[in-house]
Amino acid sequence: MDLSRRLRSRGHRVTPQRKAVLEVLQENEGVPLDPEAVFELTRERHAGIGLATVYRTLELFRDLGVVLRVHLHEGSQHYEINTGGHHHHMVCVSCGSVDEFDGCVVDDLEESIREDSDFVVTSHCLSLFGYCPACLTAR
Amino acid sequence: MDLSRRLRSRGHRVTPQRKAVLEVLQENEGVPLDPEAVFELTRERHAGIGLATVYRTLELFRDLGVVLRVHLHEGSQHYEINTGGHHHHMVCVSCGSVDEFDGCVVDDLEESIREDSDFVVTSHCLSLFGYCPACLTAR
DNA sequence: CTCCTAATGATAATAGTTCTCAATAATGTT
DNA sequence: AACATTATTGAGAACTATTATCATTAGGAG
Ligand SMILES: [Mn+2]
Ligand SMILES: [Mn+2]
Ligand SMILES: [Zn+2]
Ligand SMILES: [Zn+2]
């Protein structure tokens, strides 16, 4: 997870903005953040950062494999730090909270698709929707 | 799949616009369409329909369970007719084509989550990304 | 330190979606 | 069949999220 190394190896520069965004993402492991949230949190650290830079940085990080893009059931995208530990998400449709869960069942599926079809799977995206414990008891 | 019945049972009115949108979705089974595409296709059938009506109708249909919202790796949403046959999608990251596949592996996962956690899963969304046969040979 | 140019911030532009509101038309009632 | 009620519609404004533009700044190789 050495950002400087990863950036330089691809010819990118190491800037305080990029370091600040990374810190925010690392400190929010387990909490997928949308660009606006990353912007607000990063501003506390690097006051003058622009929103466009946040968007650019998130796309760059995604390209570098530093972050993953998560699909929640909403319009805007969310990003989370890529810890290497493959997992998926349970999204509460009531309060919007996100839980992670390990044990991906898709690996086997990818395997069978590799055999049955000519489609080459390179990645997948799985999210479960429902109600979290808190929202269930609050009824 | 009786639209009129389903609409009336919830106190909604049966309009030519709604019937036209349904027809478009039915004729494009297997092809998730975004609102703009639904708009264009529906116009060929009901010339004067407005874009806002398409958005409203898709949301209503989703509420009624007539359509499903599909998450492709893009900004805008896509909708497809709900045939009742549960399936998921393989999206080609090169040409954007979408294939369907049956055999959902998530059912088992939902089961194990129901046992291991207090989260109640009501739905899920799974998409595979990769390269379709056409794009693979074209290289 | 100097130079080159990648990166940045401000802001304009674009795209997608939702809102507003007056006009229309679907349905229930006479 | 005519009427009354009110859900629905179309047009366009408004809004939100994202991307593009461009002059300025600053990372880092030499
Ligand atoms: Mn996560
Ligand atoms: Mn489908
Ligand atoms: Zn393809
Ligand atoms: Zn499934």
Side-chain angles (χ1 to χ4, degrees):
Chain A
M1 187 52 56
D2 184 345
L3 182 68
S4 300
R5 198 182 316 273
R6 210 179 294 200
L7 284 171
R8 290 212 190 87
S9 73
R10 294 264 238 111
H12 297 290
R13 293 177 181 177
V14 181
T15 68
Q17 289 91 340
R18 287 173 178 167
K19 286 194 271 192
V21 168
L22 179 68
E23 284 174 25
V24 164
L25 290 163
Q26 285 174 329
E27 289 176 7
N28 285 277
E29 189 179 322
V31 185
L33 301 171
D34 63 17
E36 186 66 30
V38 174
F39 177 53
E40 293 303 337
L41 290 167
T42 306
R43 273 216 284 200
E44 298 172 4
R45 202 174 288 277
H46 186 101
I49 194 169
L51 181 56
T53 298
V54 170
Y55 274 97
R56 286 186 287 239
T57 302
L58 289 172
E59 256 328 279
L60 175 64
F61 282 4
R62 196 165 74 89
D63 204 49
L64 297 174
V66 173
V67 301
L68 299 173
R69 193 162 60 176
V70 175
H71 276 268
L72 308 183
H73 248 192
E74 297 160 33
S76 70
Q77 313 283 353
H78 291 72
Y79 296 83
E80 65 178 2
I81 193 80
N82 181 5
T83 61
H86 182 69
H87 65 271
H88 293 287
H89 300 94
M90 299 186 287
V91 184
C92 178
V93 297
S94 170
C95 71
S97 70
V98 179
D99 281 346
E100 303 185 338
F101 66 88
D102 303 319
C104 179
V105 288
V106 185
D107 301 327
D108 306 332
L109 178 65
E110 285 194 21
E111 187 63 38
S112 73
I113 286 195
R114 199 170 297 126
E115 287 162 10
D116 299 357
S117 126
D118 295 326
F119 197 99
V120 174
V121 178
T122 55
S123 68
H124 63 261
C125 168
L126 167 63
S127 293
L128 304 185
F129 304 98
Y131 296 90
C132 71
C135 284
L136 284 170
T137 57
R139 273 199 304 166
Chain B
M1 186 52 56
D2 184 345
L3 183 67
S4 299
R5 198 182 316 273
R6 211 179 296 201
L7 284 171
R8 290 212 190 86
S9 72
R10 294 263 239 111
H12 298 290
R13 294 178 180 176
V14 182
T15 68
Q17 290 90 341
R18 287 173 177 166
K19 286 194 271 191
V21 168
L22 179 68
E23 283 174 26
V24 164
L25 291 163
Q26 284 174 329
E27 288 175 8
N28 286 277
E29 187 179 323
V31 185
L33 301 172
D34 62 18
E36 185 66 31
V38 174
F39 177 54
E40 294 302 338
L41 290 167
T42 306
R43 274 217 283 198
E44 300 172 5
R45 201 174 289 277
H46 187 101
I49 193 169
L51 181 55
T53 297
V54 170
Y55 275 96
R56 285 186 286 238
T57 302
L58 289 172
E59 257 327 280
L60 175 63
F61 281 5
R62 196 165 73 89
D63 204 48
L64 297 174
V66 173
V67 302
L68 299 173
R69 194 162 61 176
V70 174
H71 275 267
L72 308 182
H73 248 192
E74 296 160 34
S76 70
Q77 311 283 353
H78 290 71
Y79 296 82
E80 65 178 3
I81 193 79
N82 181 5
T83 61
H86 182 70
H87 65 272
H88 293 288
H89 300 94
M90 300 186 287
V91 183
C92 178
V93 296
S94 171
C95 71
S97 70
V98 179
D99 281 345
E100 302 185 338
F101 66 88
D102 303 318
C104 179
V105 289
V106 184
D107 301 325
D108 305 332
L109 178 64
E110 284 194 23
E111 187 62 39
S112 73
I113 286 196
R114 198 168 298 126
E115 287 163 10
D116 298 359
S117 121
D118 294 327
F119 198 99
V120 174
V121 178
T122 56
S123 69
H124 64 262
C125 168
L126 168 63
S127 294
L128 304 185
F129 304 98
Y131 296 91
C132 73
C135 284
L136 284 169
T137 57
R139 272 199 307 168

